[in-house]
Amino acid sequence: MRFIASLIEKLQRHPKRIVFPEGTEPSVLQAARQFYALRLGAPIVLGNRARIQQVALEHQLSLDGIRVLDPAESDDLENFVVRYNRLRRAQGLQDAEAREAMLQPNYFAAMMLAMHHADGLVSGAAHTIASVLRPLFQIVGHAPGTKTVAGCAVLELENPRFGEEGVLFLADCAVIPEPTVEELAEIAVSTARLARHLLGTRPRVALLSFSTKGSAQHESVGRVQAATALARQKAREQQLEAAIDGELQVDAALMPELGRRKCPDLALPGPANVLIFPELNSGHIAARLLHHVARAELYGPVLLGLDRPAANVPRGSTAWDILGAAAIVGVQAIHYQVLYPGAGASLPGETRS
């Protein structure tokens, strides 16, 4: 929890507005209450007002300091419907369908985020990742100069030997089932940039495989090798100082002494703090396995490559899980332009300059 505590301190100095679309979920209300109590900013919860009040009463939660917003009663609904209609007109969207979409909390929250009515978004405690991602893709979209959206799980382990004093960034754990070479490289650089932003240290990035430096031959190995070279090139072009190596087996990445036995010219000066998985299955399984078996705290996945900061938490997340994701998203929002220059410059339904 040292990692999240450090983010909480930063956010207390630069409070942000975080929207939680799942306002009728007890764990979400608890997280929103903690967000306010810790002076991290203004939590906004969406949903039927009467139902939210009932849930708060049943769980003895105060709504003081929490903005409760019912999309159906919002003064912004008509404007949001018009803007969403502009975005989706080419797909044949009808006015009634646009209104129906904007009455859904995840869509309304995505529009709030895109319109700068909120600084960050956290959802997923009661929804599938598809129902969280779809409105974000349609309304918020990609950050300028970015083609790939991915999910980065941030884990904090009890053993400080691994990662950065126990903190590991794992990607992609949420979005792309079988990334291309270009996508893998962009995921590696985006995750490294996030790690640098949150940790303040030089990222040590390992692109993982079942092979270390050609110890096995397979199409997937060649893909990781090519992605490693491209990630290094992208990092240089973006002036991102990061140590990037691959293809590496996970033990070689996490334990440099073993890694150097397998690969004397290992480019990582210490244990990797960023792990890039070759495809979604392995990333998702590893994150959940570490969370449940190794008792690691898991936050996110944080969504990389969007025009505005957001996170998708797993269904059934605790209040602490949700609060941790909100803290990460809030700290991202402080200097999101550093992560993605030009992000948030245009509004939905407007032509990006």
PDB file of all heavy atoms in Angstrom, residues 263-276:
ATOM      1  N   CYS A 263      21.443 -14.747 -20.441  1.00  0.00           N
ATOM      2  CA  CYS A 263      21.720 -13.722 -21.455  1.00  0.00           C
ATOM      3  C   CYS A 263      22.735 -12.721 -20.885  1.00  0.00           C
ATOM      4  O   CYS A 263      22.337 -11.757 -20.216  1.00  0.00           O
ATOM      5  CB  CYS A 263      20.413 -13.024 -21.837  1.00  0.00           C
ATOM      6  SG  CYS A 263      20.610 -11.602 -22.910  1.00  0.00           S
ATOM      7  N   PRO A 264      24.032 -12.935 -21.122  1.00  0.00           N
ATOM      8  CA  PRO A 264      25.062 -12.053 -20.534  1.00  0.00           C
ATOM      9  C   PRO A 264      24.900 -10.583 -20.902  1.00  0.00           C
ATOM     10  O   PRO A 264      25.331  -9.715 -20.137  1.00  0.00           O
ATOM     11  CB  PRO A 264      26.361 -12.628 -21.105  1.00  0.00           C
ATOM     12  CG  PRO A 264      26.045 -14.055 -21.418  1.00  0.00           C
ATOM     13  CD  PRO A 264      24.616 -14.047 -21.878  1.00  0.00           C
ATOM     14  N   ASP A 265      24.298 -10.289 -22.051  1.00  0.00           N
ATOM     15  CA  ASP A 265      24.146  -8.885 -22.462  1.00  0.00           C
ATOM     16  C   ASP A 265      22.764  -8.332 -22.131  1.00  0.00           C
ATOM     17  O   ASP A 265      22.267  -7.427 -22.809  1.00  0.00           O
ATOM     18  CB  ASP A 265      24.434  -8.731 -23.952  1.00  0.00           C
ATOM     19  CG  ASP A 265      23.467  -9.529 -24.828  1.00  0.00           C
ATOM     20  OD1 ASP A 265      22.763 -10.408 -24.290  1.00  0.00           O
ATOM     21  OD2 ASP A 265      23.424  -9.269 -26.047  1.00  0.00           O
ATOM     22  N   LEU A 266      22.143  -8.840 -21.079  1.00  0.00           N
ATOM     23  CA  LEU A 266      20.833  -8.367 -20.646  1.00  0.00           C
ATOM     24  C   LEU A 266      20.838  -6.850 -20.483  1.00  0.00           C
ATOM     25  O   LEU A 266      21.727  -6.300 -19.817  1.00  0.00           O
ATOM     26  CB  LEU A 266      20.448  -9.036 -19.324  1.00  0.00           C
ATOM     27  CG  LEU A 266      19.037  -8.781 -18.787  1.00  0.00           C
ATOM     28  CD1 LEU A 266      18.002  -9.499 -19.636  1.00  0.00           C
ATOM     29  CD2 LEU A 266      18.939  -9.247 -17.334  1.00  0.00           C
ATOM     30  N   ALA A 267      19.856  -6.186 -21.084  1.00  0.00           N
ATOM     31  CA  ALA A 267      19.835  -4.715 -21.087  1.00  0.00           C
ATOM     32  C   ALA A 267      19.181  -4.117 -19.850  1.00  0.00           C
ATOM     33  O   ALA A 267      19.204  -2.902 -19.672  1.00  0.00           O
ATOM     34  CB  ALA A 267      19.116  -4.218 -22.334  1.00  0.00           C
ATOM     35  N   LEU A 268      18.586  -4.938 -19.001  1.00  0.00           N
ATOM     36  CA  LEU A 268      17.900  -4.422 -17.813  1.00  0.00           C
ATOM     37  C   LEU A 268      18.890  -4.295 -16.658  1.00  0.00           C
ATOM     38  O   LEU A 268      19.515  -5.276 -16.256  1.00  0.00           O
ATOM     39  CB  LEU A 268      16.746  -5.346 -17.415  1.00  0.00           C
ATOM     40  CG  LEU A 268      15.666  -5.582 -18.467  1.00  0.00           C
ATOM     41  CD1 LEU A 268      14.577  -6.487 -17.909  1.00  0.00           C
ATOM     42  CD2 LEU A 268      15.074  -4.263 -18.941  1.00  0.00           C
ATOM     43  N   PRO A 269      19.036  -3.102 -16.083  1.00  0.00           N
ATOM     44  CA  PRO A 269      19.985  -2.907 -14.979  1.00  0.00           C
ATOM     45  C   PRO A 269      19.479  -3.408 -13.636  1.00  0.00           C
ATOM     46  O   PRO A 269      20.215  -3.395 -12.646  1.00  0.00           O
ATOM     47  CB  PRO A 269      20.165  -1.391 -14.951  1.00  0.00           C
ATOM     48  CG  PRO A 269      18.865  -0.858 -15.461  1.00  0.00           C
ATOM     49  CD  PRO A 269      18.386  -1.841 -16.480  1.00  0.00           C
ATOM     50  N   GLY A 270      18.229  -3.839 -13.570  1.00  0.00           N
ATOM     51  CA  GLY A 270      17.621  -4.343 -12.340  1.00  0.00           C
ATOM     52  C   GLY A 270      16.387  -5.138 -12.701  1.00  0.00           C
ATOM     53  O   GLY A 270      16.088  -5.340 -13.887  1.00  0.00           O
ATOM     54  N   PRO A 271      15.659  -5.597 -11.705  1.00  0.00           N
ATOM     55  CA  PRO A 271      14.450  -6.369 -12.015  1.00  0.00           C
ATOM     56  C   PRO A 271      13.448  -5.539 -12.801  1.00  0.00           C
ATOM     57  O   PRO A 271      13.246  -4.354 -12.519  1.00  0.00           O
ATOM     58  CB  PRO A 271      13.906  -6.743 -10.633  1.00  0.00           C
ATOM     59  CG  PRO A 271      14.501  -5.742  -9.689  1.00  0.00           C
ATOM     60  CD  PRO A 271      15.845  -5.405 -10.249  1.00  0.00           C
ATOM     61  N   ALA A 272      12.837  -6.151 -13.798  1.00  0.00           N
ATOM     62  CA  ALA A 272      11.848  -5.436 -14.607  1.00  0.00           C
ATOM     63  C   ALA A 272      10.715  -4.933 -13.724  1.00  0.00           C
ATOM     64  O   ALA A 272      10.233  -5.645 -12.845  1.00  0.00           O
ATOM     65  CB  ALA A 272      11.299  -6.363 -15.687  1.00  0.00           C
ATOM     66  N   ASN A 273      10.308  -3.687 -13.941  1.00  0.00           N
ATOM     67  CA  ASN A 273       9.120  -3.171 -13.255  1.00  0.00           C
ATOM     68  C   ASN A 273       7.940  -3.010 -14.211  1.00  0.00           C
ATOM     69  O   ASN A 273       6.836  -2.664 -13.796  1.00  0.00           O
ATOM     70  CB  ASN A 273       9.412  -1.846 -12.529  1.00  0.00           C
ATOM     71  CG  ASN A 273      10.115  -0.825 -13.392  1.00  0.00           C
ATOM     72  OD1 ASN A 273       9.979  -0.827 -14.613  1.00  0.00           O
ATOM     73  ND2 ASN A 273      10.886   0.058 -12.763  1.00  0.00           N
ATOM     74  N   VAL A 274       8.180  -3.274 -15.503  1.00  0.00           N
ATOM     75  CA  VAL A 274       7.120  -3.282 -16.515  1.00  0.00           C
ATOM     76  C   VAL A 274       7.212  -4.604 -17.272  1.00  0.00           C
ATOM     77  O   VAL A 274       8.254  -4.922 -17.848  1.00  0.00           O
ATOM     78  CB  VAL A 274       7.274  -2.103 -17.499  1.00  0.00           C
ATOM     79  CG1 VAL A 274       6.264  -2.223 -18.637  1.00  0.00           C
ATOM     80  CG2 VAL A 274       7.107  -0.770 -16.774  1.00  0.00           C
ATOM     81  N   LEU A 275       6.128  -5.367 -17.261  1.00  0.00           N
ATOM     82  CA  LEU A 275       6.068  -6.647 -17.964  1.00  0.00           C
ATOM     83  C   LEU A 275       5.049  -6.544 -19.095  1.00  0.00           C
ATOM     84  O   LEU A 275       3.876  -6.260 -18.847  1.00  0.00           O
ATOM     85  CB  LEU A 275       5.671  -7.773 -17.005  1.00  0.00           C
ATOM     86  CG  LEU A 275       6.570  -8.000 -15.782  1.00  0.00           C
ATOM     87  CD1 LEU A 275       6.011  -9.133 -14.917  1.00  0.00           C
ATOM     88  CD2 LEU A 275       8.004  -8.313 -16.212  1.00  0.00           C
ATOM     89  N   ILE A 276       5.505  -6.782 -20.317  1.00  0.00           N
ATOM     90  CA  ILE A 276       4.635  -6.722 -21.491  1.00  0.00           C
ATOM     91  C   ILE A 276       4.404  -8.144 -21.981  1.00  0.00           C
ATOM     92  O   ILE A 276       5.359  -8.850 -22.338  1.00  0.00           O
ATOM     93  CB  ILE A 276       5.256  -5.860 -22.608  1.00  0.00           C
ATOM     94  CG1 ILE A 276       5.598  -4.460 -22.075  1.00  0.00           C
ATOM     95  CG2 ILE A 276       4.321  -5.780 -23.798  1.00  0.00           C
ATOM     96  CD1 ILE A 276       4.422  -3.687 -21.516  1.00  0.00           C
TER      97      ILE A 276
END
